[in-house]
Amino acid sequence: MNTNQLIALSLGGVIGTGIFMSPGYFIKSAGAIGTVIAYLIGAVLVCLVMQCLGELSVHQPTTGAFHDYANQYINPGVGFVVAWLYWLTWTIALGSNLLTMGVLMQHWFPQELTWLWCLFFGLIMFILNIGNLSCFSKSESITSWVKTFALLFFIVIGFLMVTRIIPGHHIQTAANFGELTKNGWFPHGIGPILATVLTANFAYSGAEMIGVAAGETKNPEKAIPRASRRTLVLLITLFIGAILIMGALLAPSDNALATSPFVAILGQAGIPGAADIMNAILIITLFSASNAGVFAASRMIWSLADKGEISPKFGKLSRHGFPVYGLILTMAGGALSLLSSIYAAQTLYLALNALSAFAVVAVWIVIAWSQLNFRKHYQKEHDIKDLKYRAPLYPLTPIVVIVACLASIIGIGFDPNQRIALIIGVPFSLFLYGYYQIFQTKSKGQYHHEFSRLGQTTEDDFI
């Protein structure tokens, strides 16, 4: 992959319902300025995470990414835990997104069964991920840039409406962004902003995919830092811009904030077929995020097999260099997630979603922790100037990430709506760690022997 393809992959994973759906709810509770602050805090945190990941990925570009780094610089058990948590994050999202895409398609085809659309989109993802890497990259580039330009278009149109250059129909809000502070900067106090910060962090999850794809990147020492910087600039511009437009054109009491703020604003601009346009963009958004997630999750399975932590059969690659059985297991996990969302929405599916939210914070902690330990180890034997890319302000950068993420985890415990993430996530992580220590330590050597005996491909086959 080159720089543009890395950017597209990362944007594909990040730009999802976290910007198209969630901000409206936050504006109603925390106010527009409070929501902007929450998303800016999340942006600062993800910038620091990407600095840590950039140093690791440039020095050691590997398909296993933070799974490999945790294995080497923290503890193999921690690497085992974070790999499975990350895999679960994207398989759970896959099931949820497939179902949502099926429901959205009924806007145009109300007579068709939802599960047929789920099967259709799932099959396309499987084909794209099992074929040539260039086909996957092109598909992800197209879908990622479609939703990126859709956000840019929305921001430009919205700005012209706010400044009254474009007359908006039925707009009753103050002109020139006056609506943002009409009811005060923080109309409901600081509390809702703190709660919003916890969720806003998750809106940026997926940016770390750049690290997962490092082992398949051309000239990683230049491509990875460049892709990270450009991705973050785009994300911050798009996310903050969209929130400001929503807050300026829709009053906090407007029900459209909680349902379809994009449709409402485009409708006010007099754009015909606004509902159809946003429905199509949402489908593209969900497909792109899921496609990128399948890519990342299947590589986590390959990395586990490569380290001898699961059966070496999952290390098998297709002739195009794609992890065949890792992909099959990921698609199967997504199908089970989809079924649980239908038949066990208030039990199993609720627990799975809690795990997914917890996993994002866990992954970021592990990335920072790995970089903190890596730099200590590197400095003992090498001159720090020899590093091709260095995270700034070491050790402050990884420490701030770890403290901020731990604070988020503690904050989740005080939020009744998100507390289940801790109740499920912590015991599950401890279970995985205990399982590794009891069973995997003994069998790891045997798996490595079988991996070699079967002649399975290694990291070099990805590059």
Side-chain angles (χ1 to χ4, degrees), residues 334-356:
L336 291 175
S337 171
L338 190 155
L339 291 174
S340 71
S341 68
I342 298 173
Y343 298 106
Q346 299 304 314
T347 52
L348 178 59
Y349 186 67
L350 192 64
L352 290 175
N353 269 288
L355 271 177
S356 180

Side-chain angles (χ1 to χ4, degrees), residues 7 12 50 53 162 172 220 263 331 339 389 409 444 463:
I7 294 172
M50 294 303 290
L53 183 59
V162 170
Q172 300 176 352
V263 173
M331 298 302 296
L339 291 174
Y389 181 80
I409 290 176
K444 197 170 181 181
I463 301 174

Side-chain angles (χ1 to χ4, degrees), residues 28 251-260:
K28 289 181 75 69
S253 58
D254 197 322
N255 290 329
L257 282 171
T259 54
S260 51

Side-chain angles (χ1 to χ4, degrees), residues 35 55 86 103 120 165 167 169 206 215 227 230 271 308 325 334 338 344 359 363 369-370 377 382 399 415 426:
T35 303
E55 180 174 307
Y86 197 67
V103 172
F120 172 74
I165 295 174
H169 304 284
R230 293 179 183 177
I271 296 177
Y325 294 119
L338 190 155
V363 167
W369 190 4
S370 297
H377 175 76
H382 304 86
I399 290 174
D415 186 346
V426 173

Side-chain angles (χ1 to χ4, degrees), residues 288-307:
S288 176
S290 300
N291 200 32
V294 168
F295 175 93
S298 62
R299 274 131 183 87
M300 276 296 150
I301 295 298
W302 179 89
S303 184
L304 285 164
D306 181 52
K307 297 296 178 292

